[in-house]
Amino acid sequence: MLKDIPQQKVEDLAIAIVPPAESSEDDLWDVMIINLHEARIKSVMVTAKGYGEITGEKKETATFRYFIEEVGPLAIEKIEPIQPAVFELTNEYWVSFSLNGHLFDKKYIFVKGSISPENFTPIPFLNRKGILIR
């Protein structure tokens, strides 16, 4: 039954959170999915939510779901804009997709406080810096 279902490991897929090219503190940042595969990924479903505490009070964002028909090989697609105000929460992106006839899923978690300039790294295909989880 469950033990008979092969567990596919997600590789060569990343989520990036990138500030706007010309930023001010009020600007929305972009959440991107990056396909580092040499093949298209299809039927991409992303569930996004934020949760945690701010000044001792439990907070939770609405849960958003996004569908992207396909992301080309070695390509990047925007998932959603994100407000800097929620960087004080844990931000979670659960990605499911199809590749070469197999279904994959992986949870990407940006922990509270991790979305900050001291954690910036170059983002593939963008020529900009941001936060990247592979």
Side-chain angles (χ1 to χ4, degrees), residues 45-128:
M45 182 71 170
V46 181
T47 302
K49 67 179 179 179
Y51 51 88
E53 285 187 16
I54 297 178
T55 61
E57 188 178 333
K58 287 193 177 197
K59 299 280 185 179
E60 189 171 319
T61 67
T63 299
F64 294 96
R65 291 172 183 83
Y66 302 95
F67 179 77
I68 303 168
E69 193 166 322
E70 66 179 41
V71 180
L74 304 172
I76 189 167
E77 290 285 333
K78 182 176 175 179
I79 297 172
E80 70 172 354
I82 187 171
Q83 296 176 341
V86 299
F87 295 169
E88 289 303 310
L89 299 173
T90 295
N91 290 278
E92 176 183 295
Y93 295 88
W94 193 341
V95 181
S96 299
F97 63 96
S98 174
L99 173 66
N100 299 327
H102 296 282
L103 290 176
F104 294 83
D105 74 316
K106 183 174 180 176
K107 201 179 286 188
Y108 296 83
I109 299 176
F110 295 85
V111 296
K112 176 181 179 170
S114 65
I115 306 170
S116 64
E118 60 263 10
N119 296 325
F120 278 8
T121 187
I123 305 300
F125 314 120
L126 274 186
N127 259 351
R128 290 169 45 200

